[in-house]
Amino acid sequence: MINMYYDFWKGKKVFITGHTGFKGTWLSLWLTKLGAHVTGYALPPDEENSLFYLCKTDQMVDSYFGDVRDYEKLQTCLLQAKPDIVIHLAAQPLVRESYRNPVDTYSINVMGTVHLLDSVRKCDCVRAVVNVTTDKCYENHEWLWSYRENDALGGKDPYSNSKACSEFVTNAYRNSFFSPKQYAKHGVALASARAGNVIGGGDWAKERLIPDCFRAILNKETLVIRNPKAIRPWQHVLEPLSGYLILAEYLYEYGPDYGEAWNFGPKEDNRTVEWIVQYISKIWKNEIDYKVIEDEKQFREATYLRLDWAKAKNRLNWQPKWQIERALDMTMKWLEAYIRDEDIATICFKQIEEYMNN
């Protein structure tokens, strides 16, 4: 297995879109720890207590505030950064929000991808690009077996569909401008990454289960859940991030042989929304009061979704490390530290270290 955690990333220039978000901040911290020089491009965080601000991430990376829909600004920042590796995380990431604002969702998730990849096309120093999409990009029939990378893409809601479109954009650019047959000429290896429902400390997004649990605990409120029996591929945020890092390294070292779509799923994927809430209540030792309400029909989400990550295991030597219980334990330890007003960057770096040494 390539030693991804140490020597490879030292001194590498990495450009991350969406670096102010939940996953983007964790990735920025991890890469900083590994000795990479990180440049981030994203909108400012929505929350005052965002992980980005709590960790003072802007003091660790070169941070630029901008919208991926602003093609000229994005391109200018990318060209100035002169990165070796690009990881595209910027997105409108919420299913229910996509129902409310479908135009913005498509503009960000589809045209944002176009702008990023076209900017890469004009930057002759980039060697590897990872476009992060989602497990929801598949045409979900809610069947019992897990989705593989060669299954049909689709998506019944604007968010899921826009991410499927982002996959199509990626494939089009790979065939049109970053063709494996012309790799010696352009030198860019391009892949997409599909992960499950990530959890972890520092996620405050609205209408997500773990942040909703956090708010219920902090504000002593009744938690509202809409789909108690829904099954998701829950995984700690460090799991897919480790996959992105390995994938980027393989792209950089071996080129178009790894320029494909990749799933990064959890160890197990049979936990329901209600099970997650009950487990958090158990480990928090202070039962969370919750109620179930019927979800609005126009905001329908899939109730069953599983990912097959055998390809990543067999070809990238990647596999998840933490069971869902460990992932939730680490998430709640983060919340305890937040409540005690501990240094959040220190807590995050400690959890990254624990994951690396697992």
Side-chain angles (χ1 to χ4, degrees):
M1 179 176 179
I2 292 179
N3 187 351
M4 69 166 188
Y5 293 131
Y6 301 108
D7 294 340
F8 172 79
W9 290 100
K10 290 179 181 177
K12 289 294 187 300
K13 295 181 179 180
V14 185
F15 188 88
I16 303 175
T17 66
H19 73 296
T20 61
F22 168 54
K23 290 172 75 174
T25 300
W26 275 101
L27 182 59
S28 296
L29 294 174
W30 199 342
L31 284 168
T32 299
K33 179 179 178 62
L34 298 178
H37 182 92
V38 178
T39 300
Y41 180 92
L43 293 173
D46 292 331
E47 309 90 1
E48 292 183 1
N49 63 341
S50 72
L51 186 64
F52 181 80
Y53 288 139
L54 290 173
C55 292
K56 300 181 177 63
T57 316
D58 58 335
Q59 298 178 18
M60 306 180 201
V61 306
D62 292 335
S63 182
Y64 295 92
F65 290 154
D67 195 315
V68 290
R69 290 171 290 185
D70 187 339
Y71 177 41
E72 291 185 3
K73 185 173 184 179
L74 172 61
Q75 184 179 137
T76 297
C77 290
L78 180 71
L79 293 175
Q80 288 178 347
K82 298 180 180 179
D84 306 300
I85 295 168
V86 175
I87 302 178
H88 181 43
L89 288 166
Q92 191 298 95
L94 303 174
V95 172
R96 292 168 68 84
E97 177 63 21
S98 76
Y99 281 106
R100 300 186 188 100
N101 293 296
V103 173
D104 285 346
T105 299
Y106 280 100
S107 297
I108 296 167
N109 295 351
V110 183
M111 290 309 300
T113 303
V114 173
H115 293 163
L116 186 279
L117 294 182
D118 212 62
S119 297
V120 168
R121 191 162 66 93
K122 300 173 181 178
C123 185
D124 59 9
C125 55
V126 176
R127 292 271 301 277
V129 181
V130 177
N131 177 27
V132 177
T133 60
T134 176
D135 59 320
K136 296 178 180 63
C137 67
Y138 292 106
E139 182 66 43
N140 189 2
H141 301 285
E142 303 196 35
W143 50 39
L144 296 179
W145 54 88
S146 304
Y147 287 91
R148 296 174 297 178
E149 290 86 349
N150 59 353
D151 282 320
L153 301 180
K156 295 180 175 67
D157 58 84
Y159 166 71
S160 303
N161 187 267
S162 70
K163 282 298 195 174
C165 291
S166 180
E167 289 277 356
F168 289 130
V169 168
T170 302
N171 191 54
Y173 266 77
R174 181 165 46 230
N175 286 299
S176 301
F177 306 112
F178 307 127
S179 169
K181 295 180 180 179
Q182 299 295 321
Y183 179 70
K185 182 178 180 180
H186 59 71
V188 177
L190 169 61
S192 61
R194 306 161 183 174
N197 285 48
V198 295
I199 63 175
D203 185 5
W204 302 107
K206 296 178 181 178
E207 300 176 329
R208 276 186 182 159
L209 182 59
I210 300 302
D212 286 347
C213 287
F214 278 12
R215 283 185 283 270
I217 290 170
L218 294 171
N219 301 326
K220 296 180 172 57
E221 298 174 343
T222 298
L223 173 66
V224 174
I225 59 176
R226 294 174 295 273
N227 300 296
K229 303 305 179 184
I231 292 174
R232 298 283 186 271
W234 311 100
Q235 56 189 153
H236 193 275
V237 62
L238 295 179
E239 300 277 31
L241 293 187
S242 71
Y244 305 161
L245 292 175
I246 293 177
L247 176 57
E249 185 172 349
Y250 270 77
L251 290 169
Y252 186 94
E253 296 286 5
Y254 304 116
D257 288 348
Y258 294 88
E260 307 168 8
W262 301 86
N263 286 343
F264 298 103
K267 275 183 172 290
E268 70 285 297
D269 46 19
N270 60 350
R271 304 302 190 185
T272 66
V273 167
E274 193 164 27
W275 184 93
I276 298 290
V277 173
Q278 291 172 348
Y279 186 84
I280 290 175
S281 292
K282 176 183 175 182
I283 62 176
W284 193 251
K285 298 179 181 178
N286 187 5
E287 185 174 352
I288 298 176
D289 183 31
Y290 69 93
K291 65 179 180 180
V292 177
I293 64 171
E294 185 175 350
D295 200 8
E296 302 95 325
K297 290 183 179 179
Q298 69 268 31
F299 288 164
R300 183 185 180 279
E301 297 185 52
T303 58
Y304 198 81
L305 181 60
R306 302 175 67 184
L307 280 181
D308 185 324
W309 42 270
K311 177 181 170 182
K313 179 181 180 181
N314 292 332
R315 294 184 56 200
L316 298 177
N317 295 313
W318 176 90
Q319 60 183 322
K321 294 182 177 183
W322 289 350
Q323 301 282 352
I324 183 59
E325 291 85 356
R326 179 77 183 278
L328 288 168
D329 291 346
M330 299 300 286
T331 300
M332 299 315 291
K333 285 181 180 178
W334 187 98
L335 182 61
E336 289 175 355
Y338 174 81
I339 291 173
R340 291 195 297 265
D341 199 27
E342 296 183 18
D343 184 80
I344 296 301
T346 299
I347 297 301
C348 291
F349 281 127
K350 180 180 178 181
Q351 293 196 350
I352 291 170
E353 186 73 27
E354 285 188 44
Y355 184 87
M356 289 169 59
N357 293 332
N358 191 77

